[in-house]
Amino acid sequence: MTENQPATWKRSAMRMLGGAFMGGAAMAALLAAAGSDLLDAMGPSRLALGAVGVVYALMAALVGFGLAAPRAGAAMLNVGDADELRDERRGMIRSTVTMAAIGLVLVLLALARGPGFAAGPVPPGVAMGLLLIAFSGGAIASWRWRNDFDELNHQLGLEGCFWAFCLSWALLTMWAAADFLGWGVTLTPIDVVSTLAAMMLLGAFVAIGRRGMMTR
């Protein structure tokens, strides 16, 4: 185990670097496609929300690619081999759909028209309607799938939620305190949405990382 650990970390690091490169390239392409006028009108908070949404969408795309091509996906994703992808196909399809839905909704929210963003290409009613559909669909799916997860995945879900809550609480509390104390750090509603979505993702990584599942 000890002799194999450096090689394992090296593989994990290369996968992370590859994912970061693909994410950066995708973000650069999207920013170029959006144009400077729209980006300037969006402002930092909307851009941050859109970036979080793109991260979710990219993760969904990567996992979806891995499921469609298990041999190539095994080299890209943090799994043992192609057989593991095939064995976990059902659960990973659900995760892919969930991440894709979250990513789409966050991007649409970032692009929705609102006060101070009249140039938004997405009608506000469409963005809010899809958000409600996503929440409702997620609640129904979670209830129907509640008995489909094994003990490990169930525990990982609870731990991920715990870390997401703790990280969100700490960050938003400090941010809000700095805002109302007049320290020049503004916390807007859209920042809250971005923070919660980002910390939910980070909490999942913390949960699996603490169990050593990032270096398989």
Side-chain angles (χ1 to χ4, degrees):
M1 292 290 290
T2 304
E3 293 177 357
N4 191 47
Q5 190 172 14
T8 302
W9 274 106
K10 184 177 180 180
R11 288 196 301 270
S12 298
M14 291 302 295
R15 287 167 176 168
M16 291 179 184
L17 288 174
F21 176 79
M22 294 179 63
M27 282 297 298
L30 288 173
L31 291 175
S36 58
D37 292 340
L38 179 61
L39 296 179
D40 291 340
M42 289 178 68
S45 294
R46 286 182 178 272
L47 285 175
L49 179 62
V52 174
V54 169
V55 170
Y56 273 94
L58 285 174
M59 290 183 62
L62 287 174
V63 177
F65 171 78
L67 293 174
R71 291 185 180 275
M76 180 184 305
L77 302 174
N78 191 41
V79 296
D81 51 30
D83 289 335
E84 184 176 349
L85 274 176
R86 296 186 183 99
D87 292 340
E88 299 293 334
R89 182 179 181 83
R90 184 178 180 185
M92 294 184 75
I93 288 177
R94 292 172 177 174
S95 297
T96 300
V97 173
T98 300
M99 288 188 294
I102 293 174
L104 175 62
V105 170
L106 293 180
V107 170
L108 290 177
L109 282 174
L111 295 174
R113 288 192 299 273
F117 187 50
V122 178
V126 171
M128 180 58 73
L130 289 176
L131 177 63
L132 292 174
I133 291 173
F135 273 126
S136 301
I140 294 172
S142 297
W143 177 258
R144 293 190 62 180
W145 298 341
R146 66 189 185 282
N147 296 321
D148 290 353
F149 299 102
D150 58 27
E151 184 177 352
L152 175 60
N153 284 319
H154 181 71
Q155 188 62 32
L156 282 173
L158 293 177
E159 292 178 9
C161 289
F162 168 77
W163 283 106
F165 168 78
C166 290
L167 293 169
S168 298
W169 180 85
L171 179 57
L172 290 175
T173 298
M174 296 296 293
W175 195 344
D179 187 0
F180 71 71
L181 290 174
W183 287 1
V185 183
T186 303
L187 176 63
T188 66
I190 200 170
D191 294 324
V192 175
V193 177
S194 301
T195 299
L196 292 174
M199 292 304 103
M200 184 169 65
L201 193 59
L202 182 58
F205 278 104
V206 172
I208 63 176
R210 282 172 57 84
R211 288 179 172 266
M213 299 173 66
M214 293 287 289
T215 56
R216 292 191 296 173

